[in-house]
Amino acid sequence: MPTFLRELIRPAADLPQADVCLVGLPLDHGTVLEGGRAGAVGAPAAIRRELRRYHKTYNLEHNVRLDELRIADAGDIACPTTPYDHAAHHQRIRERVGELLGQYPRVVVLGGSHDGTYSTVRGLFDATGQQPVGGINLDAHADVKHRADLGSGTPYGKLLREGVVAGSRFTEIGLHSNLNTFEDIDFLHQQQATIVPLAHVQQHGMPLFMERALHRAAAPAFVSFDTDAVAQAFAPAVSAPSSDGLTPRQATEAAFLAGKQAGVRLFEVVEFNPVFDRDFMTARLAATIITAFLTGVAAGR
């Protein structure tokens, strides 16, 4: 029987039917637009390396075996033009994620700056009948800025304003106390979104809020995990690090619960920036979060 997760991962061309499909999003232009640190383009390769060399196919905590999971890897969604064209790249992301969701029940995105979510979620919207979808953003920042450009701080504002995401089915978990503007929080309230501040998670734990958010999101839904939601001590290699934040334990709890819900068609880990990593610790955390999601998928079968 397979011992390591790498033994389960096959190229999508060889595995047209699978439980989960991985796809990379080598994207950092949206973070640079926000004045953030370049380098997230290297995230997919770094996450794949840790997925392939570190994790095994048995989860002791949940007594779950992953060895019967079929995991396809569709490679990276690269920009289709040279020189770089941000709009063209986003259009390709939307098209490709929509295609993959038409073929596979679950897609896991290895990213990549958070503006990519604008197009991954539109791909989900396309693949599931172009009706508003539900979702969860685990993040230090709300990412609902009202701007014309497509930066890493804008995706949820655009998705909500365009009706792609239903406000009443959308939850922001882990928002920091002094990293969000009054205007952004007021906008979320106007959209009937639910906000769970970081302090509430720290006080009451992740499962309570994640289970409520998953119920609220219903199906189809997405879960986006921004690695800057995790405290810098555990995740130094992110686009916008903060000293406070979620713990790795809270991160993996959220991912496991997301994986158990079949209605979560799209799961992503974003804003990992390997340029600033130390001893691969953030890459390994990103891979651990994805492995927790896969464990949830196996547990929910």
Side-chain angles (χ1 to χ4, degrees):
M1 300 297 286
T3 300
F4 286 91
L5 201 60
R6 64 174 175 265
E7 299 173 64
L8 306 180
I9 301 172
R10 295 286 182 270
D14 298 339
L15 203 60
Q17 292 182 322
D19 302 291
V20 179
C21 183
L22 310 177
V23 65
L25 205 59
L27 180 71
D28 69 359
H29 187 72
T31 298
V32 174
L33 283 175
E34 297 278 353
R37 310 192 294 187
V41 292
I47 296 172
R48 283 189 179 96
R49 182 186 63 239
E50 294 305 310
L51 276 174
R52 290 182 175 278
R53 78 183 185 91
Y54 190 67
H55 294 88
K56 294 186 171 65
T57 59
Y58 173 68
N59 182 280
L60 173 62
E61 176 186 357
H62 299 288
N63 189 30
V64 171
R65 297 179 64 166
L66 285 72
D67 46 33
E68 293 187 0
L69 278 185
R70 297 166 300 167
I71 305 172
D73 189 338
D76 291 346
I77 306 175
C79 181
T81 64
T82 303
Y84 181 76
D85 183 326
H86 197 44
H89 197 180
H90 270 273
Q91 181 60 29
R92 180 57 184 149
I93 292 165
R94 177 179 185 171
E95 292 170 355
R96 184 59 176 144
V97 170
E99 291 169 0
L100 292 174
L101 285 166
Q103 182 176 357
Y104 299 100
R106 310 281 194 104
V107 170
V108 174
V109 175
L110 320 178
S113 56
H114 214 163
D115 57 293
T117 300
Y118 174 66
S119 295
T120 62
V121 172
R122 289 199 300 163
L124 174 65
F125 175 79
D126 294 341
T128 55
Q130 295 193 325
Q131 296 294 321
V133 302
I136 301 169
N137 178 38
L138 294 116
D139 202 334
H141 314 92
D143 289 349
V144 294
K145 292 178 183 177
H146 194 12
R147 290 171 30 171
D149 62 7
L150 186 50
S152 60
T154 67
Y156 299 109
K158 292 182 182 296
L159 291 166
L160 288 163
R161 291 182 178 95
E162 294 172 6
V164 175
V165 172
S168 61
R169 294 169 56 196
F170 180 58
T171 304
E172 301 252 24
I173 297 178
L175 299 190
H176 286 213
S177 294
N178 289 92
L179 295 182
N180 296 278
T181 67
F182 172 83
E183 290 77 14
D184 287 349
I185 299 305
D186 187 53
F187 167 75
L188 286 167
H189 287 151
Q190 291 175 26
Q191 295 290 318
Q192 299 182 305
T194 299
I195 301 168
V196 181
L198 171 63
H200 292 190
V201 178
Q202 292 171 329
Q203 182 176 3
H204 300 291
M206 178 62 77
L208 172 67
F209 298 109
M210 192 66 187
E211 288 170 357
R212 288 176 176 175
L214 288 165
H215 178 75
R216 190 178 301 114
F222 68 90
V223 173
S224 180
F225 195 105
D226 188 324
T227 49
D228 72 24
V230 179
Q232 187 175 6
F234 306 112
V238 300
S239 297
S242 299
S243 57
D244 201 2
L246 300 177
T247 65
R249 175 64 182 176
Q250 292 163 340
T252 55
E253 285 175 336
F256 174 76
L257 291 170
K260 284 186 71 177
Q261 293 292 325
V264 176
R265 300 283 316 279
L266 174 67
F267 181 81
E268 55 183 25
V269 175
V270 300
E271 293 291 1
F272 163 49
N273 188 332
V275 171
F276 299 94
D277 216 354
R278 298 198 298 265
D279 196 27
F280 309 117
M281 62 188 297
T282 316
R284 190 165 296 156
L285 174 62
T288 300
I289 292 169
I290 291 168
T291 301
F293 177 81
L294 295 173
T295 303
V297 173
R301 290 180 60 178

